[in-house]
Amino acid sequence: MAHIVAFWESRAFYDSFMARSHDRLATSQSGTFKDAQVKLFDHRFDVKTGFEPRFTDADLLRVAHCRVHEERAEHFTLMQEKVWNPAMAGSPGMVRGLFGEAPGHEFLVLSMWLSAAEHGKYRAERIERLALRAQTEADVAALTGDIVQLEPSWTV
């Protein structure tokens, strides 16, 4: 499995790419993958510091894709901002991250970590307590995610 994460300066640049270049590139990659899933998320807020799409200072990316119950979306967003973000920001191994939203009450949380060991310390110490405090189980209809070991040679 591969995760490809792209960051666009603006919606206008994204739309221009899709209109002018996407089909040509997609055709040239035909047959090299199967079951591609694409989602476009709008940046809502940063986790820890101003987010930069720079991967040279992190070894691990945590990707969490959350589908949230419609009536709980506002609560979920508030808990991300008031509970989860401060906890991640206070973890010494966390570099930076972002929180994004897509139509249909879908959210993406990306967090960049110095190493798998540092991310593991955060998980072991805090995850269950934070989930109870944030009432995550009541908010989230479905959660998928992955821990991605970053490959520096694949960064463009």
Side-chain angles (χ1 to χ4, degrees), residues 3-16:
H3 296 277
I4 298 171
V5 182
F7 300 93
W8 297 92
E9 186 175 318
S10 69
R11 181 63 189 248
F13 283 127
Y14 169 80
D15 290 341
S16 175

Side-chain angles (χ1 to χ4, degrees), residues 72-156:
R72 301 285 298 184
E74 189 175 317
H75 181 265
F76 177 78
T77 301
L78 181 65
M79 292 299 101
Q80 183 65 42
E81 190 172 17
K82 302 295 184 191
V83 175
W84 291 103
N85 286 3
M88 282 191 284
S91 187
M94 200 274 193
V95 179
R96 68 183 154 278
L98 66 83
F99 180 78
E101 183 176 8
H105 314 292
E106 291 188 52
F107 299 89
L108 183 69
V109 183
L110 296 179
S111 56
M112 299 170 70
W113 298 81
L114 292 175
S115 67
E118 291 296 331
H119 180 258
K121 290 178 195 174
Y122 165 76
R123 282 191 52 83
E125 295 172 3
R126 302 179 177 168
I127 223 66
E128 190 175 311
R129 179 176 47 84
L130 292 169
L132 287 171
R133 183 172 168 214
Q135 301 174 5
T136 303
E137 193 171 304
D139 292 345
V140 176
L143 171 66
T144 56
D146 213 347
I147 296 175
V148 180
Q149 192 69 41
L150 296 174
E151 175 53 53
S153 66
W154 286 23
T155 301
V156 292

Side-chain angles (χ1 to χ4, degrees), residues 32-72:
T32 62
F33 60 90
K34 66 179 189 173
D35 299 329
Q37 296 179 16
V38 178
K39 294 277 182 180
L40 186 61
F41 291 86
D42 289 323
H43 176 269
R44 289 284 305 267
F45 48 81
D46 296 330
V47 178
K48 192 170 186 171
T49 62
F51 184 80
E52 297 176 39
R54 181 173 41 89
F55 296 88
T56 56
D57 57 348
D59 287 338
L60 183 121
L61 176 69
R62 170 66 172 127
V63 179
H65 177 215
C66 307
R67 281 190 308 117
V68 174
H69 299 291
E70 180 178 356
E71 69 280 3
R72 301 285 298 184

